[in-house]
Amino acid sequence: MSSYLITCTPAHGHVMPLLQITRHLIARGHEVGFLTSPRYAADVAAAGARFVALPSEADIDLDDADAAFPERVGLTGPAALRFDMSNLFVRPGATQLAAVRAELAAGHVDAVLTEPLFVGGALLQLLPPSERPPVVVLGIFPLGARSRDAAPFGLGVTPMAGPIGRLRNAVLRTIAERAIFGGIQREADDMARREVGRELGGFVLDWAGRADAYVQFTVPEFEYPRSDLPATVHFAGPLPSPKSDRTLPAWWSDLDGSRPVVHVTQGTIANSEFGQVVLPTISALAASDVLVVVSTGGRPVDALPRDLPANVRVADYLPYDRLLPLVDVMVTNGGYGGVQQALAHGVPIVVAGQTEDKVEVSARVGWSGAGVNLRASTVTPDQVGDAVGKVLNDPAYRENAERIGAAMRDTDALSTLGDVLDASVREWVAAG
């Protein structure tokens, strides 16, 4: 059996899928250390892994970044992206690398498993092979590998075929890397020179495509085609929906198939302001012959207004393995995991998310034909109502969602991950 170190930036949406992977690896008999914030120490211990604390300099609560950086409040557009890339991801990289190096020095590690926004992983993979184990990226966000066939990651720009499309991508890449994020790239390269003696070797957001292996948790049908995809990238399919033994809400029997079911959620983190997606959806569909099922993502149910329309059902959490087979349309702000779970059940989507990786998730929903991308983070009832009506009335959306879902159901993400890890460790040992 092998010994793995999993490294993760301190954000709920990053930690939870990596803990799912952790539980699988431990069940297979592997040893796992998990490097992240002490806020998740109990979760790591519950998964059976050895908790390793990030140093305080790198322990930024990404779920409440405004509290750590008051100057972040009010920033929008490129200014907000630059601030987050610098302060939340690039600058902690050196301290992250130091923590990883300390673990490698303390005991044998067969491979380091990391998510793409853990910049310490980008620095680690620059070290000579004699000084580190293989670095395996866990693709829990849309694929970020650089390609002549795709626009730069983070812009939410969908593919354009042919020579004109490649020219457009090259121009956008130059603008993104040299103008919009040029300062961030210089900062990252300066840090890499200080820490490991050389530059990153490419754009900081593309580093995962240069890792020893990249396990992307989706299927090619939900990714942009790339003729130059690195051989190190392996499509594994989505992580399976966690099985839930939660008590079902009292209204569950209303999901009897007598009318369409529209599920709306803003996930478990970006749900402090339900006026972005949830309330507009409730308002839009109040007079419709549909059942609107709301998940508050852990927030108290009474965070919503008391006088909800008669066709609305609410719960703090809902078991997706049981709910999604009953859903006709999902309205979401674009969390990668939730979108993929919906597609795995053939559920078409209306998506409204333009922040973080959500802009890329939303773009893929629209591009794939599996739903409607509203191209906004806060939407109006008219926008949601029109989009839901379009998805319900046009069978092409469900057909495309089912096409992607069929491909997803034909995968075994955790088995593929195990195969990639086994191969990576064998190849590394053989290379000496």
Side-chain angles (χ1 to χ4, degrees), residues 223-247:
E223 260 303 338
Y224 302 147
R226 294 167 169 85
S227 60
D228 51 355
L229 187 71
T232 52
V233 175
H234 307 268
F235 287 101
L239 291 168
S241 299
K243 301 298 181 184
S244 173
D245 57 0
R246 294 178 64 89
T247 301

mmCIF file of all heavy atoms in Angstrom, residues 223-247:
data_model
loop_
_atom_site.group_PDB
_atom_site.id
_atom_site.type_symbol
_atom_site.label_atom_id
_atom_site.label_comp_id
_atom_site.label_asym_id
_atom_site.label_seq_id
_atom_site.Cartn_x
_atom_site.Cartn_y
_atom_site.Cartn_z
ATOM 1 N N GLU A 223 -16.293 18.853 -21.447
ATOM 2 C CA GLU A 223 -15.079 19.670 -21.527
ATOM 3 C C GLU A 223 -14.860 20.108 -22.969
ATOM 4 O O GLU A 223 -15.287 19.455 -23.915
ATOM 5 C CB GLU A 223 -13.855 18.912 -21.023
ATOM 6 C CG GLU A 223 -13.445 19.269 -19.611
ATOM 7 C CD GLU A 223 -13.161 20.754 -19.399
ATOM 8 O OE1 GLU A 223 -12.865 21.461 -20.390
ATOM 9 O OE2 GLU A 223 -13.240 21.207 -18.248
ATOM 10 N N TYR A 224 -14.159 21.231 -23.101
ATOM 11 C CA TYR A 224 -13.847 21.733 -24.432
ATOM 12 C C TYR A 224 -12.852 20.805 -25.113
ATOM 13 O O TYR A 224 -11.881 20.347 -24.491
ATOM 14 C CB TYR A 224 -13.249 23.135 -24.342
ATOM 15 C CG TYR A 224 -14.135 24.151 -23.664
ATOM 16 C CD1 TYR A 224 -13.589 25.180 -22.915
ATOM 17 C CD2 TYR A 224 -15.527 24.078 -23.784
ATOM 18 C CE1 TYR A 224 -14.401 26.124 -22.296
ATOM 19 C CE2 TYR A 224 -16.340 25.017 -23.173
ATOM 20 C CZ TYR A 224 -15.770 26.038 -22.425
ATOM 21 O OH TYR A 224 -16.572 26.960 -21.814
ATOM 22 N N PRO A 225 -13.045 20.512 -26.400
ATOM 23 C CA PRO A 225 -12.093 19.655 -27.123
ATOM 24 C C PRO A 225 -10.743 20.353 -27.271
ATOM 25 O O PRO A 225 -10.671 21.543 -27.572
ATOM 26 C CB PRO A 225 -12.773 19.436 -28.480
ATOM 27 C CG PRO A 225 -13.731 20.571 -28.631
ATOM 28 C CD PRO A 225 -14.179 20.938 -27.245
ATOM 29 N N ARG A 226 -9.691 19.593 -27.032
ATOM 30 C CA ARG A 226 -8.329 20.114 -27.131
ATOM 31 C C ARG A 226 -7.501 19.128 -27.954
ATOM 32 O O ARG A 226 -7.259 18.006 -27.497
ATOM 33 C CB ARG A 226 -7.699 20.300 -25.748
ATOM 34 C CG ARG A 226 -8.358 21.378 -24.887
ATOM 35 C CD ARG A 226 -7.855 21.248 -23.451
ATOM 36 N NE ARG A 226 -8.211 22.376 -22.602
ATOM 37 C CZ ARG A 226 -9.362 22.506 -21.952
ATOM 38 N NH1 ARG A 226 -10.286 21.553 -22.074
ATOM 39 N NH2 ARG A 226 -9.588 23.556 -21.180
ATOM 40 N N SER A 227 -7.050 19.533 -29.122
ATOM 41 C CA SER A 227 -6.240 18.648 -29.956
ATOM 42 C C SER A 227 -4.847 18.450 -29.373
ATOM 43 O O SER A 227 -4.138 17.508 -29.754
ATOM 44 C CB SER A 227 -6.133 19.213 -31.371
ATOM 45 O OG SER A 227 -5.518 20.509 -31.354
ATOM 46 N N ASP A 228 -4.457 19.334 -28.473
ATOM 47 C CA ASP A 228 -3.127 19.266 -27.862
ATOM 48 C C ASP A 228 -3.202 18.928 -26.373
ATOM 49 O O ASP A 228 -2.358 19.360 -25.587
ATOM 50 C CB ASP A 228 -2.378 20.585 -28.067
ATOM 51 C CG ASP A 228 -3.212 21.797 -27.628
ATOM 52 O OD1 ASP A 228 -4.390 21.625 -27.251
ATOM 53 O OD2 ASP A 228 -2.674 22.927 -27.660
ATOM 54 N N LEU A 229 -4.205 18.168 -25.987
ATOM 55 C CA LEU A 229 -4.359 17.802 -24.580
ATOM 56 C C LEU A 229 -3.154 16.992 -24.112
ATOM 57 O O LEU A 229 -2.769 16.010 -24.754
ATOM 58 C CB LEU A 229 -5.634 16.966 -24.401
ATOM 59 C CG LEU A 229 -6.028 16.644 -22.958
ATOM 60 C CD1 LEU A 229 -6.534 17.891 -22.255
ATOM 61 C CD2 LEU A 229 -7.099 15.552 -22.934
ATOM 62 N N PRO A 230 -2.533 17.376 -23.003
ATOM 63 C CA PRO A 230 -1.373 16.617 -22.515
ATOM 64 C C PRO A 230 -1.751 15.172 -22.200
ATOM 65 O O PRO A 230 -2.857 14.883 -21.723
ATOM 66 C CB PRO A 230 -0.978 17.374 -21.229
ATOM 67 C CG PRO A 230 -1.539 18.745 -21.392
ATOM 68 C CD PRO A 230 -2.800 18.577 -22.178
ATOM 69 N N ALA A 231 -0.820 14.272 -22.467
ATOM 70 C CA ALA A 231 -1.063 12.852 -22.187
ATOM 71 C C ALA A 231 -1.206 12.590 -20.701
ATOM 72 O O ALA A 231 -1.701 11.523 -20.298
ATOM 73 C CB ALA A 231 0.085 12.019 -22.765
ATOM 74 N N THR A 232 -0.805 13.545 -19.879
ATOM 75 C CA THR A 232 -0.895 13.380 -18.425
ATOM 76 C C THR A 232 -2.309 13.587 -17.901
ATOM 77 O O THR A 232 -2.577 13.315 -16.727
ATOM 78 C CB THR A 232 0.033 14.380 -17.736
ATOM 79 O OG1 THR A 232 -0.235 15.698 -18.248
ATOM 80 C CG2 THR A 232 1.497 14.040 -17.991
ATOM 81 N N VAL A 233 -3.221 14.092 -18.744
ATOM 82 C CA VAL A 233 -4.591 14.354 -18.311
ATOM 83 C C VAL A 233 -5.440 13.094 -18.488
ATOM 84 O O VAL A 233 -5.465 12.500 -19.567
ATOM 85 C CB VAL A 233 -5.219 15.519 -19.098
ATOM 86 C CG1 VAL A 233 -6.690 15.711 -18.715
ATOM 87 C CG2 VAL A 233 -4.440 16.802 -18.830
ATOM 88 N N HIS A 234 -6.139 12.720 -17.425
ATOM 89 C CA HIS A 234 -6.988 11.528 -17.436
ATOM 90 C C HIS A 234 -8.399 11.927 -17.012
ATOM 91 O O HIS A 234 -8.607 12.417 -15.897
ATOM 92 C CB HIS A 234 -6.443 10.472 -16.474
ATOM 93 C CG HIS A 234 -5.005 10.130 -16.685
ATOM 94 N ND1 HIS A 234 -4.589 9.099 -17.497
ATOM 95 C CD2 HIS A 234 -3.866 10.713 -16.198
ATOM 96 C CE1 HIS A 234 -3.275 9.038 -17.499
ATOM 97 N NE2 HIS A 234 -2.802 10.013 -16.727
ATOM 98 N N PHE A 235 -9.385 11.713 -17.879
ATOM 99 C CA PHE A 235 -10.778 11.960 -17.523
ATOM 100 C C PHE A 235 -11.295 10.771 -16.715
ATOM 101 O O PHE A 235 -11.250 9.634 -17.179
ATOM 102 C CB PHE A 235 -11.630 12.160 -18.769
ATOM 103 C CG PHE A 235 -11.394 13.483 -19.446
ATOM 104 C CD1 PHE A 235 -10.602 13.560 -20.579
ATOM 105 C CD2 PHE A 235 -11.958 14.648 -18.937
ATOM 106 C CE1 PHE A 235 -10.369 14.772 -21.206
ATOM 107 C CE2 PHE A 235 -11.731 15.865 -19.555
ATOM 108 C CZ PHE A 235 -10.934 15.932 -20.688
ATOM 109 N N ALA A 236 -11.799 11.064 -15.524
ATOM 110 C CA ALA A 236 -12.220 9.995 -14.620
ATOM 111 C C ALA A 236 -13.726 9.906 -14.448
ATOM 112 O O ALA A 236 -14.229 8.906 -13.938
ATOM 113 C CB ALA A 236 -11.579 10.202 -13.242
ATOM 114 N N GLY A 237 -14.456 10.940 -14.884
ATOM 115 C CA GLY A 237 -15.872 11.013 -14.557
ATOM 116 C C GLY A 237 -16.053 11.697 -13.210
ATOM 117 O O GLY A 237 -15.101 11.843 -12.437
ATOM 118 N N PRO A 238 -17.263 12.131 -12.903
ATOM 119 C CA PRO A 238 -17.486 12.873 -11.656
ATOM 120 C C PRO A 238 -17.370 11.980 -10.432
ATOM 121 O O PRO A 238 -17.605 10.766 -10.502
ATOM 122 C CB PRO A 238 -18.916 13.395 -11.812
ATOM 123 C CG PRO A 238 -19.572 12.424 -12.738
ATOM 124 C CD PRO A 238 -18.497 11.981 -13.692
ATOM 125 N N LEU A 239 -17.005 12.598 -9.312
ATOM 126 C CA LEU A 239 -17.038 11.876 -8.055
ATOM 127 C C LEU A 239 -18.477 11.464 -7.766
ATOM 128 O O LEU A 239 -19.417 12.215 -8.035
ATOM 129 C CB LEU A 239 -16.507 12.763 -6.924
ATOM 130 C CG LEU A 239 -15.007 13.065 -6.982
ATOM 131 C CD1 LEU A 239 -14.654 14.180 -5.998
ATOM 132 C CD2 LEU A 239 -14.200 11.801 -6.694
ATOM 133 N N PRO A 240 -18.688 10.279 -7.222
ATOM 134 C CA PRO A 240 -20.058 9.808 -6.996
ATOM 135 C C PRO A 240 -20.778 10.647 -5.954
ATOM 136 O O PRO A 240 -20.165 11.189 -5.038
ATOM 137 C CB PRO A 240 -19.857 8.369 -6.522
ATOM 138 C CG PRO A 240 -18.457 8.314 -6.006
ATOM 139 C CD PRO A 240 -17.673 9.278 -6.828
ATOM 140 N N SER A 241 -22.095 10.752 -6.099
ATOM 141 C CA SER A 241 -22.894 11.465 -5.107
ATOM 142 C C SER A 241 -22.799 10.736 -3.783
ATOM 143 O O SER A 241 -23.013 9.519 -3.720
ATOM 144 C CB SER A 241 -24.356 11.527 -5.545
ATOM 145 O OG SER A 241 -24.506 12.208 -6.760
ATOM 146 N N PRO A 242 -22.474 11.450 -2.707
ATOM 147 C CA PRO A 242 -22.407 10.791 -1.396
ATOM 148 C C PRO A 242 -23.767 10.205 -1.020
ATOM 149 O O PRO A 242 -24.808 10.830 -1.238
ATOM 150 C CB PRO A 242 -22.002 11.922 -0.446
ATOM 151 C CG PRO A 242 -21.415 12.984 -1.323
ATOM 152 C CD PRO A 242 -22.127 12.878 -2.636
ATOM 153 N N LYS A 243 -23.756 9.023 -0.470
ATOM 154 C CA LYS A 243 -24.991 8.427 0.015
ATOM 155 C C LYS A 243 -25.408 9.112 1.313
ATOM 156 O O LYS A 243 -24.581 9.398 2.179
ATOM 157 C CB LYS A 243 -24.821 6.924 0.248
ATOM 158 C CG LYS A 243 -24.409 6.153 -1.008
ATOM 159 C CD LYS A 243 -25.468 6.248 -2.099
ATOM 160 C CE LYS A 243 -25.068 5.464 -3.340
ATOM 161 N NZ LYS A 243 -26.043 5.620 -4.439
ATOM 162 N N SER A 244 -26.686 9.377 1.430
ATOM 163 C CA SER A 244 -27.174 10.110 2.587
ATOM 164 C C SER A 244 -28.165 9.268 3.374
ATOM 165 O O SER A 244 -29.022 8.595 2.792
ATOM 166 C CB SER A 244 -27.852 11.413 2.153
ATOM 167 O OG SER A 244 -28.461 12.060 3.256
ATOM 168 N N ASP A 245 -28.032 9.323 4.691
ATOM 169 C CA ASP A 245 -29.013 8.658 5.549
ATOM 170 C C ASP A 245 -29.830 9.684 6.334
ATOM 171 O O ASP A 245 -30.453 9.364 7.347
ATOM 172 C CB ASP A 245 -28.308 7.692 6.516
ATOM 173 C CG ASP A 245 -27.249 8.382 7.372
ATOM 174 O OD1 ASP A 245 -27.067 9.614 7.222
ATOM 175 O OD2 ASP A 245 -26.599 7.692 8.183
ATOM 176 N N ARG A 246 -29.821 10.931 5.822
ATOM 177 C CA ARG A 246 -30.588 11.978 6.484
ATOM 178 C C ARG A 246 -32.084 11.676 6.390
ATOM 179 O O ARG A 246 -32.572 11.088 5.421
ATOM 180 C CB ARG A 246 -30.315 13.337 5.827
ATOM 181 C CG ARG A 246 -28.890 13.837 5.990
ATOM 182 C CD ARG A 246 -28.714 15.155 5.256
ATOM 183 N NE ARG A 246 -29.545 16.201 5.833
ATOM 184 C CZ ARG A 246 -29.163 17.005 6.820
ATOM 185 N NH1 ARG A 246 -27.963 16.864 7.334
ATOM 186 N NH2 ARG A 246 -29.967 17.933 7.266
ATOM 187 N N THR A 247 -32.804 12.112 7.411
ATOM 188 C CA THR A 247 -34.256 11.969 7.414
ATOM 189 C C THR A 247 -34.850 12.867 6.335
ATOM 190 O O THR A 247 -34.499 14.038 6.223
ATOM 191 C CB THR A 247 -34.833 12.350 8.785
ATOM 192 O OG1 THR A 247 -34.254 11.512 9.789
ATOM 193 C CG2 THR A 247 -36.344 12.191 8.796
#
